[in-house]
Amino acid sequence: MGLPRTGTTAVGNVMSLDPQFRPLRVWEQLELCPPPVLEHEHDDPRRIAYAESTAALHEQTPELAAMHLYDTDATAEDVHVLGLEFRSQEMTLPVLGYRGWWREADMSDAYRYHRRAIALLQSHRPPNRWLLKSPYHCYHLDAIVEVYPDARFVMTHRDPVEAIPSAVSFITTLSPPGALARHDLRELGPHYAEHLRIGLEREISARRRLGADRFLDVHHRDYVADPMGELERIYEFAGRALTPATQTAMERWHAANRRGAHGVHRYVPEDFGLRDDRLRSDFRFYTDEYGIELEGATQ
């Protein structure tokens, strides 16, 4: 978990290569029944349909390849599972009132149903050590730990001046056709930034209640500079062994998905009503709390 655009997808996707973890894939979330079977999932019609849909999405919106990594078998945000209890965090839909309601919602029942859903999904497809990933788990950590008392959290970090405009650009690119017609992008940017700021405040408060030993911090610049070194830290924290075969697969993944390999994500923060100095001020509590190295000119 962590702010969007801080490396949650990269860490989640590369750890999904390890057969000792069970990823939560989009294609199985969309249609839970029948639960997938390990021996036949490569040819599962849901998997094939999802791979085809992402290929079509990239054809229609080529710039997405530079924004996000769509690995068919990687763990993904659990928005569809939480949506079964109408508690999904849908950032791509500009329904601003829902977002405020969701922040204050009691998520205990949603995560209890979440646990039932993944128990179903693992019934014919081991292993049972789940690798879950979502930037938005920050908001409701107490509810997660209530349902998953042995949960441990890897939190990714990056300068918000870099992460938030990138996130807003990505979110609005994914918005359905016409969804933004009634909104000024220069108003949506500050709305999303405020929403993300509240999430970080909630995370810091919850971490103090739940205990620091549940959390490991991974900084974006450290991961970019030495991904395998940071992954070794994560595995040590999780009490798991990183095998030579998995390490080789991870190194190949990083070589294929190095920064810039799929293009460059270009955006102008001011188009979304975002200013570096305002972001720097609003998120100072966060960058100070975690000692985050600041990027760009406004430091």
Side-chain angles (χ1 to χ4, degrees):
M1 67 178 190
L3 276 177
R5 321 303 288 169
T6 60
T8 56
T9 297
V11 174
N13 284 24
V14 78
M15 290 182 67
S16 295
L17 298 170
D18 191 337
Q20 70 180 306
F21 292 118
R22 176 64 161 89
L24 179 63
R25 289 77 57 92
V26 172
W27 58 267
E28 60 185 344
Q29 287 192 64
L30 289 168
E31 193 174 346
L32 300 175
C33 295
V37 177
L38 180 60
E39 293 79 8
H40 306 296
E41 73 176 13
H42 186 76
D43 298 319
D44 191 303
R46 294 166 293 185
R47 182 182 182 277
I48 294 170
Y50 175 71
E52 291 174 347
S53 71
T54 55
L57 181 64
H58 281 94
E59 185 174 339
Q60 296 164 7
T61 315
E63 61 268 27
L64 279 177
M67 298 185 191
H68 189 67
L69 299 169
Y70 288 87
D71 291 353
T72 301
D73 295 311
T75 198
E77 284 88 348
D78 44 13
V79 291
H80 302 294
V81 172
L82 290 173
L84 297 171
E85 274 286 312
F86 298 94
R87 296 291 191 277
S88 174
Q89 171 54 21
E90 282 292 353
M91 287 291 281
T92 60
L93 298 176
V95 184
L96 310 190
Y98 172 80
R99 206 152 292 124
W101 172 86
W102 176 85
R103 287 197 302 264
E104 304 307 320
D106 182 352
M107 293 289 285
S108 298
D109 284 344
Y111 279 108
R112 278 191 281 270
Y113 201 85
H114 183 286
R115 185 170 181 130
R116 290 183 63 190
I118 67 170
L120 171 66
L121 289 173
Q122 75 184 29
S123 59
H124 298 294
R125 204 292 191 186
N128 300 342
R129 172 66 66 181
W130 281 86
L131 175 67
L132 305 174
K133 182 265 293 192
S134 177
Y136 310 113
H137 287 158
C138 293
Y139 294 82
H140 301 107
L141 288 170
D142 293 286
I144 295 173
V145 171
E146 177 186 344
V147 175
Y148 296 104
D150 59 346
R152 310 198 81 192
F153 302 96
V154 175
M155 187 167 181
T156 54
H157 299 284
R158 190 182 185 187
D159 184 354
V161 167
E162 297 295 323
I164 290 174
S166 177
V168 175
S169 172
F170 176 53
I171 290 164
T172 53
T173 300
L174 288 178
S175 295
L180 299 176
R182 298 178 62 184
H183 295 277
D184 185 338
L185 286 179
R186 291 168 297 181
E187 295 177 352
L188 283 180
H191 167 81
Y192 286 129
E194 174 68 3
H195 178 62
L196 294 170
R197 183 189 64 78
I198 293 170
L200 292 173
E201 290 180 338
R202 297 267 181 95
E203 183 276 333
I204 290 172
S205 177
R207 183 189 289 220
R208 291 169 181 165
R209 290 192 302 274
L210 297 171
D213 59 322
R214 284 186 182 271
F215 297 84
L216 178 72
D217 297 302
V218 174
H219 292 258
H220 182 264
R221 280 197 170 180
D222 294 338
Y223 190 83
V224 170
D226 182 15
M228 293 310 303
E230 291 302 293
L231 284 163
E232 288 173 4
R233 289 181 60 236
I234 293 171
Y235 272 70
E236 182 179 0
F237 167 72
R240 314 299 287 186
L242 181 56
T243 67
T246 295
Q247 183 168 343
T248 297
M250 288 177 166
E251 289 169 347
R252 288 174 179 164
W253 186 95
H254 283 113
N257 295 284
R258 66 191 183 282
R259 197 169 187 177
H262 306 293
V264 179
H265 180 194
R266 302 186 186 281
Y267 53 88
V268 178
E270 289 77 11
D271 290 347
F272 306 108
L274 297 171
R275 298 196 339 255
D276 288 4
D277 58 340
R278 179 63 184 271
L279 290 172
R280 181 73 67 230
S281 173
D282 288 350
F283 287 85
R284 180 72 66 183
F285 75 96
Y286 164 67
T287 55
D288 286 351
E289 177 77 16
Y290 294 109
I292 294 167
E293 185 174 359
L294 307 183
E295 303 176 44
T298 324
Q299 298 183 15

